[in-house]
């Protein structure tokens, strides 16, 4: 079934039909979600009642509250953004350090540590969240009970969410950056050193620019993964709920087109981020 | 660089890594294991014991859900592989030039939306007042609203949808590197489609198959939103029980035990998968 091997007409037809069906399957749920963000009806279902921007703009006066006037969702959006910012920063920094550690240095036990580095990928996200909750929140409880010391950072809340997400996103960032570093020619760095640069200067002027596309790619990925994460986040969140958790709570109460509006906004946001990251990494050699 | 500076730089680079792995992965998981063996006798006294694990085996609700989650995750993984393989084959071997890149990109698009959004999309399609139901009625194939949500088939549709990307990408990557001469040689030696697929293509694609299957299995086993939102009363998922113990009942000891059991199940299946196919975690993931 490669190009050079002859195929029968009906096989080709069947294959094509399968491909078309597959891509319809991929596109359908998202298309529908996006379209119903603009339906002029209080419930996201047929029949189509006409186009409206109410689910974004309505200020609550006519019984409809659009996304841009929905304080709960807006503050959840802000919480998610702050979480994603810190997760991206920490994960990418860790990713750079780990990439150098595993690609450029030789030391005893490297193979074992590399496996440890991959470990978060084979632990279900819920368990990552639960274990961090049990350890840190449990510690905060114990300290408060025995010595009366209040360690509120380790109570469920933003810090714990960031910690939980960094656990596995740092691994992904490491893999992305390490893959790029593997293709780096160390002679370039040696040339810089021969020309009188200190190792630190060589790193910042030669190696880091080479890694930049992968760093930006890893950052975009980290930001998206953090923003979209639910399983780890839901275990660790406190009073300031991030967007996915807020949406989930809203969805359990019943669906309104405001949810579609948020969903579309998320899709557009992540698409822009993904295109930017891909454009950056393609533009550079 | 002299050896003193080399050692210093090694430790400088090793410290953040160790802090991350020890403080965020190893210690919390060991603590979870410890808590799962603690029995609360009164509000502030704890003793060691196996009560939580006994509960798991005596309450049929727990272990039934556990087995169900495992079996359905395996089935979903297998189904995802079957659906994704022809697509990956087409992208890697048959499509050319621009079409190739576009098709690959199209596979990525759904994953720019979060799991919640994807699940929500399926709910709009499948529920009683949903689009499929409306279309069926408009076509005259159904007399009244048809409920297609809240059953196991709906859950599997949603889970397969969530896993597809993670299957297609590693498959395309491995199939891309395959030498077509191998396939031609297979046919020249008298093989038909089935034998060439079995003897040449699948063995070559094995690292991609294993890596895709592991990721999809992990995601499915640990998923929460899709089974909760799309499943019915009888389609409980194990993550839901962990969540209930922690958030609703504040029974951390029981929750930790269930968490340990889920972790053990996923580790065993990942290990078995690697073992049976002769792959290593490093090769498959890194």
């Amino acid at each position: 079934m490669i190009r050079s091997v002859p195929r029968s007409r009906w096989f080709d037809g069947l294959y094509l039909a399968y491909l078309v069906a597959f891509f319809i399957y991929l596109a359908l749920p998202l298309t529908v979600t996006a379209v119903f963000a603009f339906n002029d009806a209080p419930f996201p279902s047929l029949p189509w009642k006409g186009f409206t921007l109410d689910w974004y703009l309505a200020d609550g006066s006519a019984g409809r509250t659009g996304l841009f006037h929905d304080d709960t969702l807006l503050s959840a959006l802000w919480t998610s953004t702050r979480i994603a910012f810190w997760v991206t920063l920490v994960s990418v920094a860790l990713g750079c350090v780990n990439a150098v550690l595993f690609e450029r240095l030789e030391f005893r036990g490297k193979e074992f540590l590399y496996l440890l580095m991959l470990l978060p990928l084979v632990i279900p996200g819920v368990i990552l969240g639960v274990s961090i909750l049990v350890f840190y929140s449990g510690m905060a409880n114990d300290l408060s009970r025995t010595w009366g010391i209040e360690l509120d950072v380790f109570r469920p809340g933003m810090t714990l969410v960031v910690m939980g997400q960094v656990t596995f996103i740092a691994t992904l960032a490491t893999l992305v950056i390490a893959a790029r570093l593997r293709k780096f020619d160390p002679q370039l760095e040696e040339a810089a050193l021969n020309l009188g640069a200190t190792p630190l200067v060589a790193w910042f002027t030669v190696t880091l620019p080479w890694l930049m596309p992968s760093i930006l790619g890893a950052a975009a990925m980290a930001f998206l993964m953090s923003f979209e994460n639910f399983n780890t986040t839901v275990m660790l969140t406190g009073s300031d709920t991030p967007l996915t958790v807020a949406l989930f709570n809203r969805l359990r109460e019943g669906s309104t087109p405001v949810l579609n509006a948020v969903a579309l906004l998320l899709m557009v946001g992540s698409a822009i981020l993904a295109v930017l990251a891909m454009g950056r990494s393609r533009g550079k050699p | 660089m002299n050896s003193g500076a080399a050692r210093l730089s090694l430790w400088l680079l090793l410290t953040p890594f160790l802090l991350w792995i020890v403080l965020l992965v190893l210690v919390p998981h060991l603590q979870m294991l410890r808590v799962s063996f603690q029995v609360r006798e009164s509000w502030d006294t704890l003793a060691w014991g196996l009560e939580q694990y006994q509960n798991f085996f005596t309450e049929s609700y727990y272990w039934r859900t556990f087995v169900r989650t495992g079996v359905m995750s395996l089935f979903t993984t297998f189904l995802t592989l079957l659906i994704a393989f022809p697509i990956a084959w087409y992208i890697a071997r048959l499509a050319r030039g621009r079409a190739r890149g576009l098709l690959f990109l199209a596979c990525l698009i759904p994953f720019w939306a979060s799991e919640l959004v994807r699940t929500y999309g399926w709910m709009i399609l499948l529920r009683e007042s949903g689009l499929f139901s409306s279309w069926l009625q408009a076509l005259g194939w159904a007399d009244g609203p048809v409920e297609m949500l809240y059953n196991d088939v709906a859950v599997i549709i949603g889970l397969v949808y969530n896993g597809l990307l993670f299957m297609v990408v590693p498959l395309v990557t491995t199939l891309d590197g395959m030498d077509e001469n191998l396939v031609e040689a297979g046919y020249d030696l008298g093989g038909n489609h089935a034998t060439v697929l079995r003897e040449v293509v699948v063995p070559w694609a094995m690292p991609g198959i294993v890596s895709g299957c592991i990721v999809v299995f992990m995601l499915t086993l640990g998923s929460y939103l899709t089974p909760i939102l799309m499943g019915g009363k009888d389609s409980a998922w194990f993550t839901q029980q962990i969540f209930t113990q922690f958030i609703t009942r504040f029974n951390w000891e029981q929750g930790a035990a269930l968490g340990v059991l889920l972790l053990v199940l996923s580790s065993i299946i990942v290990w078995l998968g690697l073992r049976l196919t002769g792959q290593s975690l490093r090769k498959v993931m890194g």
Side-chain angles (χ1 to χ4, degrees):
Chain A
M1 284 162 279
I2 51 177
R3 272 183 235 130
S4 55
V5 174
R7 287 161 287 164
S8 64
R9 286 270 293 279
W10 69 264
F11 180 83
D12 265 7
L14 217 64
Y15 207 158
L16 196 67
Y18 180 73
L19 281 172
V20 171
F22 177 80
F23 285 104
I24 291 178
Y25 171 68
L26 277 193
L28 202 56
L30 299 188
T31 319
V32 169
T33 309
V35 167
F36 277 112
F38 302 107
N39 189 13
D40 196 2
F43 195 68
S45 66
L46 288 174
W48 181 257
K49 294 258 182 67
F51 180 88
T52 179
L53 284 175
D54 274 5
W55 306 116
Y56 283 99
L57 303 175
D59 58 1
S61 53
R64 285 180 183 179
T65 308
L67 168 62
F68 296 137
H69 292 274
D70 192 320
D71 292 336
T72 325
L73 290 181
L74 285 181
S75 77
L77 195 68
W78 176 233
T79 307
S80 281
T81 313
R82 280 186 302 164
I83 292 172
F85 171 78
W86 287 110
V87 170
T88 307
L89 202 69
V90 177
S91 302
V92 170
L94 259 173
C96 288
V97 174
N98 290 348
V100 176
L101 182 69
F102 286 111
E103 292 301 323
R104 303 297 289 278
L105 298 181
E106 291 304 325
F107 51 92
R108 251 189 311 163
K110 181 172 158 180
E111 198 64 18
F112 175 70
L113 290 188
Y114 191 81
L115 282 181
L116 276 186
M117 195 272 291
L118 292 177
L119 201 59
L121 290 188
V122 287
I123 301 175
V126 179
I127 309 287
L128 291 175
V130 161
S131 64
I132 286 184
L133 177 75
V134 167
F135 182 63
Y136 288 100
S137 197
M139 187 164 75
N141 286 342
D142 287 347
L143 283 177
S144 153
R145 194 161 45 218
T146 32
W147 287 301
I149 305 168
E150 294 301 330
L151 260 183
D152 282 341
V153 272
F154 289 150
R155 303 263 181 211
M158 240 182 83
T159 319
L160 281 197
V161 173
V162 171
M163 285 163 66
Q165 292 185 355
V166 162
T167 311
F168 69 98
I169 294 178
T171 301
L172 295 169
T174 305
L175 291 177
V176 171
I177 298 171
R180 175 96 181 154
L181 189 57
R182 208 168 297 148
K183 294 184 195 141
F184 179 72
D185 183 358
Q187 287 184 351
L188 290 174
E189 212 175 80
E190 278 162 29
L193 294 174
N194 287 339
L195 292 169
T198 63
L200 214 57
V201 170
W203 162 256
F204 277 106
T205 52
V206 181
T207 321
L208 199 62
W210 166 266
L211 287 180
M212 213 26 123
S214 71
I215 290 177
L216 290 175
M221 183 196 66
F223 195 89
L224 286 182
M225 304 245 359
S226 161
F227 215 89
E228 292 174 357
N229 183 270
F230 182 85
N231 290 358
T232 308
T233 311
V234 71
M235 290 292 174
L236 300 170
T237 180
S239 52
D240 41 357
T241 39
L243 190 63
T244 43
V245 179
L247 280 179
F248 177 71
N249 294 337
R250 202 54 87 78
L251 191 53
R252 302 211 87 170
E253 292 166 15
S255 55
T256 74
V258 178
L259 294 179
N260 296 59
V262 185
L264 179 60
L265 197 74
L266 284 180
M267 285 188 250
V268 172
S270 14
I272 290 173
L273 201 58
V275 167
L276 277 181
M278 266 193 267
R280 273 308 286 229
S281 58
R282 198 172 298 161
K284 292 223 171 176
Chain B
M1 265 193 276
N2 58 42
S3 76
R7 280 184 74 87
L8 181 70
S9 63
L10 174 63
W11 279 106
L12 276 179
L13 293 171
L14 209 51
T15 308
F17 170 79
L18 288 176
L19 283 177
W20 164 52
I21 282 294
V22 171
L23 290 182
L24 292 181
V25 184
L26 295 180
V27 171
H29 282 85
L30 289 175
Q31 174 68 5
M32 181 174 77
L33 187 66
R34 205 175 85 110
V35 168
S36 76
F37 287 109
Q38 287 176 336
V39 181
R40 196 164 281 279
E41 293 183 320
S42 70
W43 73 275
D44 64 345
T45 43
L46 290 167
W48 297 102
L50 292 168
E51 198 185 303
Q52 279 84 238
Y53 291 95
Q54 280 164 359
N55 285 345
F56 172 78
F57 287 106
T58 47
E59 298 248 352
S60 70
Y61 183 61
Y62 286 141
W63 62 260
R64 269 173 211 267
T65 313
F66 187 71
V67 172
R68 215 185 91 88
T69 308
V71 171
M72 272 182 69
S73 301
L74 282 177
F75 178 71
T76 304
T77 309
F78 183 66
L79 197 64
T80 312
L81 176 64
L82 281 189
I83 293 177
F85 199 89
I87 303 298
W89 180 264
Y90 191 88
I91 293 175
R93 302 259 59 125
L94 295 173
R96 305 154 199 248
R98 276 186 83 83
R100 201 185 134 99
L102 280 177
L103 286 178
F104 193 63
L105 214 58
C107 283
L108 302 185
I109 286 172
F111 301 90
W112 296 352
S114 68
E115 189 188 348
L116 189 73
V117 172
R118 301 194 292 260
T119 310
Y120 182 54
W122 279 110
M123 290 172 74
I124 293 180
L125 286 170
L126 292 176
R127 65 184 166 202
E128 211 176 344
S129 57
L131 259 72
F132 286 159
S133 173
S134 305
W135 287 335
L136 284 179
Q137 288 174 74
L139 288 168
W141 292 353
D143 298 328
V146 189
E147 179 68 270
M148 281 173 269
L149 201 61
Y150 310 124
N151 58 55
D152 285 356
V153 179
V155 172
I156 287 182
I157 290 178
L159 289 173
V160 168
Y161 190 79
N162 285 332
L164 274 172
L165 166 82
F166 302 96
M167 194 63 92
V168 170
V169 171
L171 284 180
V172 169
T173 317
T174 45
L175 287 176
D176 209 26
M178 193 178 72
D179 188 349
E180 294 204 341
N181 290 328
L182 289 174
V183 179
E184 283 182 20
Y187 283 110
D188 289 344
L189 291 169
N192 54 27
H193 290 330
T195 44
V196 170
L197 188 70
R198 196 178 64 235
E199 303 292 333
V200 180
V201 176
V202 169
W204 177 270
M206 205 36 108
I209 294 177
V210 175
S211 124
C213 284
I214 287 182
V215 175
V216 171
F217 178 77
M218 298 297 312
L219 284 176
T220 311
L221 192 71
S223 69
Y224 177 78
L225 288 169
T226 310
I228 301 293
L229 292 172
M230 294 177 75
K233 285 197 300 289
D234 305 322
S235 26
W237 208 254
F238 202 63
T239 47
Q240 190 182 4
Q241 293 186 348
I242 298 177
F243 185 85
T244 311
Q245 295 298 338
F246 272 97
I247 309 294
T248 328
R249 294 206 194 151
F250 290 104
N251 188 347
W252 282 19
E253 292 78 21
Q254 187 66 59
L258 298 182
V260 170
L261 286 164
L262 186 70
L263 192 56
V264 169
L265 174 70
S266 71
S267 312
I268 287 177
I269 292 192
V270 169
W271 180 78
L272 267 181
L274 290 172
R275 210 44 208 281
L276 290 176
T277 52
Q279 304 291 326
S280 75
L281 189 64
R282 184 186 177 121
K283 198 171 154 202
V284 164
M285 290 295 184

